[in-house]
Amino acid sequence: MSAIGEIVHAIPGRTRVKCTIRIENPSLLEAIIRNMTQVISANVRRDSNSVVIYHETEQLPKEIIQLFMNRALAEPSRLKRRTTSAMKHPKVKELGITLTALVVERMLLGPASGGLRSLLRPTSLSLIYASRDIISNGLRSVLKPNEDTLTTAAIGASLLKGTPFSAIVIFGMSAVSELLNEYTIGQTRGFIRDMMEIGETFAWKITDDGTEVKVPSETIVPGDAVMIFQGDKVPFDGEAIAHEAEVDQSAITGEYLPVHIKKGCFLFAGSVVTEGKIAIRVERTGEDLTVSRMIRMIEEAQDKQSSVQLSSQNFTKQVVPMSFLLAGAIYFITRDWNRVLNMLVIDYVCGVQLSTATAISATIGNAAQQGILMKGGQTIEKLAKADTVVLDKTGTITEGLPIVTAIHTYEGWSKEEVLSYAASVEEHSTHPLASAILTEAARLNVKSKPHDDETMENHVGRGVSVIVDDEPVFAGSLEFLKEQGIALDGDIPQGIYLGVGNRLVGIFEIQDKIRPGMNDLLQKMKNNGIKERIMLTGDNESAAKQVMENSFIDHYSANQMPEDKAEMINRLKQNGKIVMMIGDGINDAAALATADVGIAMGGKKTDIAMETADVVIHSDNPILIDEAGELSRKAMRIIRQNIRITLVINTGAILLGTFGMIPPVVGAAVHNAATIGVVANSAKLLLKGGS
């Protein structure tokens, strides 16, 4: 066996090989493997640096593996990912041609003398062609000038003056700034697609007789059952129907620890089975997959403008005309063309706009790496400024899964006896509170008492009764037990009451458990400038008060309908609050849409909550909400920092140019160097920890 790969998992017709060399070009490596004898197909996993090979024979001979691994090593240059090289970018090529034209022109024709004739020289024609997009946009916008209008004027003035090198510097450094911005956006989108790529060509379909058959993934439809083995990516969204497995869901939820999946759990496509195997009933495929919607939302988010970006456009509308007016005034006073050029080649617009767009894109990309989807720059800006948070209770502050927190016993009964009888009477109930009692019985390994199924009766809205050991057993509300003639006197706790015969024997206190990490989030929010933490819930006053007493909530309102929640948020906004709403369900959709920033959180969130929210977090970990806020605050700090840098450097260059202390080519270099610097400053937000 080759030292650069080892078989880590094999079943008839399928083998997984772990590579010890870095896989840089999955498509090429797959093509090499597919050309091997007995190989039907292959899928390369960049995340696990492994290859899954589907083959005709039950077992793939080691010689075949040896062959393809050696061939892969023999062509290392071909295995490198084909990235878009800066040297292959059209603008860079055209810049190179223009510089060559300048050298040849100087050798054959000598320096330019200026005037209209200089526009017909080879260097000028080459530069005009290279700058055609800038010039076209600049001329179209002459009545409402933008940064391209200013750049067009500066290039034209330099060529007319007979200083083509100044024009080349202006164009060249502008191109470098745009390349850096494009690179950041490209890296963000490329990372997201690589991270979330499913890449499963085949699936193991479970037939009606229980056998597993390998079929093309595109033939799988909702309702089919498929098996996912250790090391495989989950190819579809669906519910687990058999077996158990450890699953890495970090690409979807941001959770760094594998999750134990068993029957009844929901799996997202793009997760990876790290141990065991799991069978799922497919619910969504193709473009309907959660991961596909995530990719679309991220890419659409990068095209949305924030008010910061719109402000930079307004800034452009004000500054560019001012630059033209100052240039005209300077020419009128000094008649010095160099000073006029300095006013045209130095501006504040490029640095502000390019660095802002880069910061927004990089922040969206960074958040996506952590399982946080931000829908555009406006979301980032408002999230950084939020001072009030409104939270739904069930499924957001709490887990939405009631649990037994205490068992009170009477008449000399033990907790085990009470739980055994309660489990018996609740055994066939689908009520969430019944599930809490059955879960507690299972946790303590308490068996339910045998009962007569024919005597089981559901009293809608009140409770359940059944005969156990020839005695009637009742479980339900206080009123229900009183109806059965059971005396309930004195100060007793609230909960689910258990009566046997005519005696009260037990009370179960049941609460909706506070979500782990929620109190940490609420405390962090307070430390980070959130002044009010408000809970809105459709539950009753008692349930709401109970949750408030166990969490860091400042205020709450109970018995709230969906429209009530939205109205409350509207009132907060009218009072000048910047409101963040966190929810997960259909009843939260209106509030999420009304808030300045809506956040849909948790694995149980609904599709409508995802669509109406500005931030989508697929994890049940509340701390990711604070991480989203911190990323937004970092982005805004960088944007403000870039504006200050641009103002200081360009103002200094303008003053030096106005007094004739630097030539236009130096002014252009200073201006474009500052632009490159602030764009690079924004690009670091793509990295985890970038600030």
Side-chain angles (χ1 to χ4, degrees):
M1 182 66 198
S2 172
I4 58 171
E6 60 176 338
I7 296 176
V8 292
H9 188 255
I11 59 174
R14 178 183 175 280
T15 302
R16 175 179 290 278
V17 179
K18 178 77 172 178
C19 301
T20 56
I21 60 168
R22 180 176 172 77
I23 299 172
E24 296 289 353
N25 191 329
S27 298
L28 180 59
L29 187 54
E30 286 177 2
I32 293 173
I33 300 168
R34 285 169 182 164
N35 285 327
M36 300 294 103
T37 306
Q38 301 178 18
V39 172
I40 298 171
S41 186
N43 287 326
V44 172
R45 306 282 192 276
R46 292 190 68 205
D47 53 353
S48 60
N49 209 55
S50 63
V51 186
V52 177
I53 308 167
Y54 298 92
H55 38 85
E56 297 170 351
T57 56
E58 285 200 1
Q59 299 298 325
L60 186 66
K62 293 183 179 180
E63 294 77 15
I64 298 294
I65 298 175
Q66 177 85 32
L67 180 60
F68 90 73
M69 294 297 287
N70 285 344
R71 182 173 174 186
L73 267 188
E75 302 179 67
S77 61
R78 295 178 63 203
L79 291 177
K80 292 182 179 177
R81 173 178 281 271
R82 293 188 179 94
T83 56
T84 301
S85 170
M87 296 305 296
K88 295 180 181 179
H89 195 282
K91 282 193 174 183
V92 176
K93 286 183 177 181
E94 290 162 359
L95 180 61
I97 293 170
T98 303
L99 285 171
T100 303
L102 178 63
V103 172
V104 173
E105 179 187 299
R106 287 292 177 90
M107 291 173 60
L108 299 178
L109 303 177
S113 58
L116 289 173
R117 285 183 301 177
S118 65
L119 296 178
L120 301 176
R121 292 169 69 96
T123 303
S124 299
L125 293 173
S126 177
L127 185 59
I128 290 170
Y129 177 76
S131 310
R132 60 193 179 279
D133 292 338
I134 294 173
I135 294 171
S136 175
N137 186 43
L139 292 176
R140 282 199 307 269
S141 308
V142 71
L143 296 178
K144 294 182 178 179
N146 56 26
E147 68 275 13
D148 283 347
T149 310
L150 198 60
T151 303
T152 299
I155 290 173
S158 297
L159 294 177
L160 287 170
K161 187 176 180 292
T163 54
F165 187 69
S166 297
I168 292 172
V169 170
I170 294 167
F171 170 75
M173 299 195 78
S174 174
V176 170
S177 299
E178 289 184 23
L179 281 172
L180 186 55
N181 184 37
E182 288 175 15
Y183 172 78
T184 303
I185 294 173
Q187 284 292 98
T188 298
R189 294 188 175 183
F191 173 82
I192 292 162
R193 287 203 169 269
D194 283 348
M195 179 184 71
M196 297 181 174
E197 188 179 44
I198 305 301
E200 292 288 350
T201 308
F202 293 93
W204 290 92
K205 182 177 180 180
I206 302 173
T207 62
D208 293 339
D209 62 5
T211 58
E212 297 154 11
V213 179
K214 184 175 66 177
V215 298
S217 292
E218 61 266 22
T219 64
I220 297 295
V221 297
D224 286 344
V226 299
M227 184 73 75
I228 303 107
F229 296 95
Q230 181 173 321
D232 281 353
K233 272 192 177 181
V234 178
F236 313 103
D237 290 351
E239 183 178 331
I241 57 174
H243 307 291
E244 297 186 16
E246 294 292 308
V247 178
D248 177 3
Q249 299 185 131
S250 59
I252 309 300
T253 67
E255 295 282 2
Y256 67 94
L257 291 175
V259 177
H260 184 72
I261 298 294
K262 57 185 179 181
K263 185 178 180 180
C265 295
F266 195 85
L267 278 82
F268 296 107
S271 304
V272 179
V273 176
T274 58
E275 186 177 343
K277 65 178 181 179
I278 197 79
I280 68 169
R281 181 74 62 191
V282 176
E283 292 190 14
R284 291 191 288 258
T285 65
E287 290 301 305
D288 294 328
L289 293 173
T290 298
V291 68
S292 299
R293 297 203 305 272
M294 288 168 68
I295 292 172
R296 285 199 303 274
M297 288 189 328
I298 295 169
E299 294 186 339
E300 289 167 4
Q302 289 185 299
D303 296 326
K304 292 185 179 180
Q305 290 182 320
S306 70
S307 58
V308 173
Q309 290 167 290
L310 294 174
S311 296
S312 71
Q313 290 183 353
N314 293 330
F315 182 65
T316 300
K317 293 176 183 177
Q318 297 170 11
V319 170
V320 173
M322 185 65 67
S323 295
F324 280 116
L325 288 173
L326 287 174
I330 288 171
Y331 182 74
F332 180 78
I333 295 169
T334 67
R335 304 293 176 176
D336 187 334
W337 199 243
N338 282 328
R339 299 188 187 190
V340 172
L341 277 180
N342 275 320
M343 287 305 307
L344 295 176
V345 301
I346 303 170
D347 74 277
Y348 303 98
V349 176
C350 293
V352 172
Q353 286 200 334
L354 281 175
S355 65
T356 299
T358 303
I360 297 299
S361 177
T363 300
I364 290 172
N366 192 334
Q369 295 181 48
Q370 302 177 56
I372 305 166
L373 307 184
M374 293 184 172
K375 299 182 181 179
Q378 187 170 3
T379 296
I380 292 170
E381 183 179 14
K382 289 187 175 180
L383 189 55
K385 294 179 179 178
D387 56 20
T388 303
V389 62
V390 175
L391 304 97
D392 171 52
K393 180 183 81 70
T394 306
T396 302
I397 295 178
T398 67
E399 292 185 322
L401 188 66
I403 60 169
V404 174
T405 56
I407 302 175
H408 303 276
T409 62
Y410 302 88
E411 301 288 335
W413 285 49
S414 69
K415 288 185 178 181
E416 288 73 17
E417 287 177 309
V418 167
L419 193 54
S420 177
Y421 272 78
S424 179
V425 74
E426 299 284 16
E427 195 168 45
H428 301 294
S429 174
T430 58
H431 195 281
L433 298 183
S435 297
I437 291 172
L438 294 172
T439 299
E440 182 70 3
R443 186 181 73 84
L444 298 177
N445 199 28
V446 173
K447 304 296 183 184
S448 64
K449 292 281 290 184
H451 62 259
D452 185 351
D453 284 343
E454 292 184 1
T455 64
M456 179 71 68
E457 188 175 356
N458 181 27
H459 305 264
V460 179
R462 305 198 308 282
V464 185
S465 63
V466 72
I467 299 297
V468 178
D469 291 342
D470 297 325
E471 276 196 291
V473 178
F474 309 97
S477 66
L478 186 66
E479 292 74 17
F480 177 56
L481 264 69
K482 285 182 177 179
E483 289 174 7
Q484 311 311 315
I486 298 175
L488 299 171
D489 300 322
D491 185 18
I492 57 175
Q494 293 185 339
I496 298 297
Y497 301 87
L498 181 71
V500 176
N502 60 358
R503 300 162 294 161
L504 172 69
V505 298
I507 301 175
F508 295 86
E509 287 191 42
I510 297 177
Q511 294 182 15
D512 193 356
K513 184 181 177 183
I514 302 292
R515 186 182 295 279
M518 181 53 70
N519 276 329
D520 287 343
L521 168 67
L522 293 170
Q523 188 60 49
K524 284 177 179 289
M525 283 183 163
K526 184 175 183 179
N527 296 339
N528 288 325
I530 298 295
K531 298 174 183 176
E532 274 191 287
R533 299 161 295 182
I534 303 168
M535 179 179 71
L536 301 181
T537 178
D539 273 0
N540 58 53
E541 184 79 17
S542 174
K545 185 177 180 181
Q546 193 175 62
V547 170
M548 177 169 172
E549 289 172 350
N550 291 290
S551 63
F552 294 141
I553 293 293
D554 298 314
H555 314 288
Y556 74 89
S557 290
N559 302 304
Q560 296 284 298
M561 298 295 288
E563 58 269 27
D564 298 328
K565 294 180 181 181
E567 179 57 33
M568 168 71 81
I569 289 173
N570 262 327
R571 288 199 298 271
L572 290 169
K573 290 171 66 176
Q574 289 167 6
N575 290 331
K577 307 290 187 182
I578 300 177
V579 183
M580 177 198 320
M581 167 69 193
I582 306 172
D584 72 322
I586 292 173
N587 63 327
D588 300 320
L592 289 168
T594 304
D596 292 296
V597 181
I599 301 178
M601 185 196 79
K604 297 178 182 177
K605 65 195 168 303
T606 60
D607 286 348
I608 191 170
M610 285 178 61
E611 295 300 325
T612 55
D614 302 295
V615 179
V616 178
I617 296 175
H618 285 272
S619 170
D620 287 319
N621 181 6
I623 297 302
L624 286 180
I625 297 174
D626 181 68
E627 184 62 28
E630 183 58 30
L631 288 172
S632 298
R633 290 187 289 273
K634 284 180 181 179
M636 296 309 299
R637 284 198 298 270
I638 290 292
I639 289 170
R640 289 190 292 268
Q641 187 182 86
N642 288 340
I643 291 173
R644 289 194 296 269
I645 292 170
T646 301
L647 286 172
V648 169
I649 293 178
N650 287 335
T651 299
I654 285 174
L655 290 174
L656 291 173
T658 300
F659 291 105
M661 299 174 68
I662 58 173
V665 66
V666 174
V670 170
H671 158 66
N672 284 291
T675 299
I676 293 170
V678 293
V679 170
N681 192 37
S682 293
K684 70 183 183 182
L685 287 168
L686 189 61
L687 305 173
K688 289 186 179 181
S691 59

